[in-house]
């Protein structure tokens, strides 16, 4: 039986409430918290965290956050805890997001009191996400099922993120009058090209192995072996002097022991002509210019039919989103590219508070999630041209005296993910380096060099082949040449 989530550490409970450390008091169980919404378990050196609200698709709420943070802090200090694994209960979802339905209902019913409660919730959530992003021990996320919104915050900042055939990844916030939070300011702009901007604005989904190709996941295995993988990881023993990178490399090689290959007929979908169109169309820094670029793509006689169809679908998708959310999110993507992890979560805390006072959040959540069947939200304002540049900038302005978010860890922030070269598929810039360094190499030589460098990890060959096809040419001697 898994350990129940209720915090029972005698060292905490022995302290009178008046002297309980502030860092713990914030996460003290509150009336109405469900004692079973998170399960914790121990398997030798592995500590597992299982989100346990399957009927709600494991949607993250305050009760769950108040349990997870103290446990992560406890595991951080324990010499017996070597690896932390987070997953979700049930067959459908890892975590389908934060419990925004509850927040919107509270704001609709209680006004300012509901907004204060919502701001407190987002503060808790971002503290947890930042703790994960800066965690000093191996932290692994099983993205087995729906992984959206709040579930993304629990997973994408982990150095090892495992997708399965059940993975459904998306950031759906612009469709509910919100913005891609939970560290989306940091994660999304650092995806290749303009993939992050595209995913942020359109809420497009990545299913199964596509999450690996896009850089959302670092590994891909079949869901049927996750339990065996957990047991195998429990057998690992690290030297006391092993640093975090060496431990993660050992874990990564262990995961590859369970590699059964890619699903049949599963090439990268955001690739080739579509990927080039994404980079072209989502390069501008205004939504109006992005829409114009998509219209040109749709109407151009030079565009292939599948690109025309993609552009038309994307235009329809954007037209359904909150105009305010679209403009704020695009600005967020551009600014977030310059923020470190600390900046990202602290700035998102202010952005979330601004959105709680904007009518689109309640309108979007009510129409999309609370009404059965879902209805079309009534956005205010309803058109892009009614959202001024001054209105957009007001979301990013921090008022004098406005309370900031106090994060739980200090001194471990970064402006690039520290292990992005070690785990996951090679990025385009890594392929470019090999091509330019190996001047005179043939295409198959570049490919084999990169596959060998990644120790044969699944997906590397397919990803590198796609990059070489899209970004490289061949000279008269048959040698590969990087374009641009």
């Amino acid at each position: 039986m898994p350990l129940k989530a209720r915090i029972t550490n005698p060292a905490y409970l022995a302290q009178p409430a008046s002297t309980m450390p502030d860092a713990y008091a914030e996460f003290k169980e509150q009336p109405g918290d469900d004692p079973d919404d998170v399960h914790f378990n121990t398997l030798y050196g592995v500590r597992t965290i299982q989100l346990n609200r399957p009927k709600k698709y494991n949607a993250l709420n305050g009760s769950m956050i108040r349990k997870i943070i103290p446990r992560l802090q406890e595991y951080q200090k324990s010499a017996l805890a070597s690896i932390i694994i987070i997953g979700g209960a049930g067959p459908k979802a890892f975590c389908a997001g934060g419990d925004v339905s509850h927040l919107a209902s509270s704001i609709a019913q209680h006004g300012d009191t509901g907004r204060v409660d919502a701001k407190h919730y987002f503060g808790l959530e971002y503290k947890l996400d930042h703790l994960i992003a800066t965690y000093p021990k191996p932290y692994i996320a099983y993205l087995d099922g729906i992984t959206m919104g709040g579930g993304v915050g629990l997973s994408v900042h982990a150095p090892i993120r495992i997708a399965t055939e059940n993975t459904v990844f998306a950031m759906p916030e612009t469709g509910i009058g919100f913005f891609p939070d939970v560290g989306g300011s940091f994660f999304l702009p650092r995806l290749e090209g303009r993939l992050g901007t595209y995913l942020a604005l359109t809420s497009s989904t990545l299913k199964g192995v596509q999450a690996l190709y896009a850089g959302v996941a670092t590994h891909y295995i079949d869901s049927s072996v996750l339990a065996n993988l957990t047991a195998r990881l429990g057998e690992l023993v690290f030297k006391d002097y092993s640093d975090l990178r060496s431990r993660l490399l050992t874990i990564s090689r262990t995961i590859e022991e369970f590699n059964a290959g890619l699903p049949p007929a599963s090439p990268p979908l955001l690739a080739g002509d579509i990927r080039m169109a994404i980079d072209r169309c989502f390069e501008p820094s205004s939504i109006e210019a992005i829409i114009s670029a998509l219209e040109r793509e749709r109407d151009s006689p030079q565009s292939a039919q599948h690109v025309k169809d993609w552009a038309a679908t994307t235009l329809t998708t954007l037209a359904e989103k909150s105009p305010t959310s679209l403009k704020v999110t695009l600005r967020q993507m551009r600014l977030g590219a310059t923020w470190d992890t600390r900046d990202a979560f602290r700035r998102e805390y202010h952005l979330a508070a601004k959105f709680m006072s904007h009518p689109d959040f309640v309108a979007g959540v009510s129409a999309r999630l609370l009404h059965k069947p879902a209805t079309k939200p009534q956005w205010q304002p309803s058109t892009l041209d009614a959202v001024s540049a001054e209105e957009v900038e007001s979301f990013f302005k921090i008022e004098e005296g406005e309370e900031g978010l106090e994060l739980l860890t200090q001194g471990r922030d970064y402006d690039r993910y520290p292990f992005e070269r070690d785990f996951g598929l090679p990025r385009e810039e890594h392929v470019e380096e090999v091509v330019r360094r190996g001047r005179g190499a043939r295409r198959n030589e570049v490919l084999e060099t990169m596959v060998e460098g990644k120790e044969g990890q699944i997906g590397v060959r397919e990803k590198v082949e796609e990059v070489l096809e899209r970004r490289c040419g061949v000279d008269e001697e048959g040698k590969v040449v990087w374009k641009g």
Side-chain angles (χ1 to χ4, degrees), residues 204-451:
S204 293
T205 59
L206 299 171
K207 297 182 179 180
V209 73
Q210 300 305 322
L212 175 69
Y213 290 137
V216 171
T218 58
H219 297 76
Y220 177 88
I221 63 175
D222 193 272
S223 62
S224 63
V225 301
L226 286 176
N228 291 337
L229 171 61
T230 300
R232 178 72 178 90
L233 292 174
E235 298 172 356
L236 297 182
V237 178
F238 303 114
K239 301 291 186 183
D240 291 341
Y241 54 79
S242 297
D243 62 13
L244 178 57
R245 180 175 179 271
S246 66
R247 296 182 183 212
L248 289 168
L249 286 170
T250 299
I251 291 169
S252 182
R253 295 187 186 105
T254 303
I255 295 169
E256 287 301 311
E257 294 175 11
F258 294 82
N259 164 16
L262 295 172
S266 57
L269 295 181
L270 299 181
D273 291 345
I274 295 294
R275 171 57 196 281
M276 290 189 287
I278 287 173
D279 288 351
R280 285 194 300 271
C281 295
F282 287 84
E283 175 67 25
S285 292
S286 78
I287 295 295
E288 291 87 350
I290 288 173
I291 289 174
S292 294
L294 287 166
E295 290 172 340
R296 287 194 299 273
E297 207 74 45
R298 179 197 61 192
D299 300 335
S300 171
Q302 281 76 43
S303 294
Q305 188 58 50
H306 67 283
V307 176
K308 291 174 176 281
D309 294 342
W310 167 82
T313 299
T314 303
L315 285 164
T316 300
T317 298
L318 292 176
E320 297 170 349
K321 308 299 184 183
S322 157
T324 300
S325 290
L326 287 176
K327 288 200 169 184
V328 172
T329 295
L330 181 58
R331 181 65 174 149
Q332 172 202 4
M333 291 299 100
R334 300 299 182 255
L335 291 173
T338 68
W339 295 343
D340 67 11
T341 44
R342 183 176 180 82
D343 294 332
F345 288 105
R346 288 172 59 85
R347 295 299 293 266
E348 286 182 8
Y349 178 66
H350 293 288
L351 278 170
K354 296 289 178 64
F355 269 101
M356 292 307 96
S357 296
H358 194 279
D360 278 4
F361 177 71
V362 171
V365 174
S366 298
R368 300 292 193 198
L369 303 179
L370 296 178
H371 292 170
K372 305 296 181 186
T375 59
K376 182 179 179 180
Q378 299 300 308
W379 305 123
Q380 300 180 43
S382 61
T383 60
L384 288 168
D385 58 7
V387 183
S388 67
E390 291 76 19
E391 172 71 9
V392 173
E393 288 304 316
S394 71
F395 279 81
F396 297 90
K397 182 179 180 181
I398 300 176
E399 303 295 339
E400 185 176 349
E402 188 174 349
E403 180 184 359
L405 181 65
E406 294 298 323
L407 299 170
L408 300 173
T409 55
Q410 306 289 333
R412 290 201 292 267
D413 290 287
Y414 44 81
D415 55 17
R416 296 289 305 187
Y417 284 110
F419 304 110
E420 69 177 12
R421 279 186 172 268
D422 297 306
F423 311 112
L425 302 185
R427 293 174 60 88
E428 283 188 20
E429 58 261 34
H430 305 157
V431 180
E432 180 181 3
E433 290 173 7
V434 173
V435 170
R436 294 188 184 280
R437 189 170 62 241
R439 285 192 296 268
R442 296 183 182 277
R443 176 169 170 163
N444 68 310
E445 293 172 336
V446 173
L447 180 59
E448 294 308 320
T449 295
M450 301 217 67
V451 171

Side-chain angles (χ1 to χ4, degrees), residues 22-28 30 33 60-70 103 116-132 154 182 345 349 405-408:
D22 290 342
Y24 176 70
E26 184 176 10
F27 311 119
K28 182 180 178 182
Q30 295 186 4
D33 282 3
L60 187 69
N61 61 20
S63 170
M64 300 162 83
I65 297 170
R66 284 187 285 273
K67 296 175 178 67
I68 296 172
I69 287 178
L103 300 180
V116 170
D117 291 343
K119 184 177 180 181
H120 177 70
Y121 166 80
F122 287 118
L124 285 176
E125 184 179 25
Y126 301 165
K127 287 181 181 183
L128 171 57
D129 296 337
H130 180 264
L131 177 62
I132 292 168
L154 297 176
V182 298
F345 288 105
Y349 178 66
L405 181 65
E406 294 298 323
L407 299 170
L408 300 173

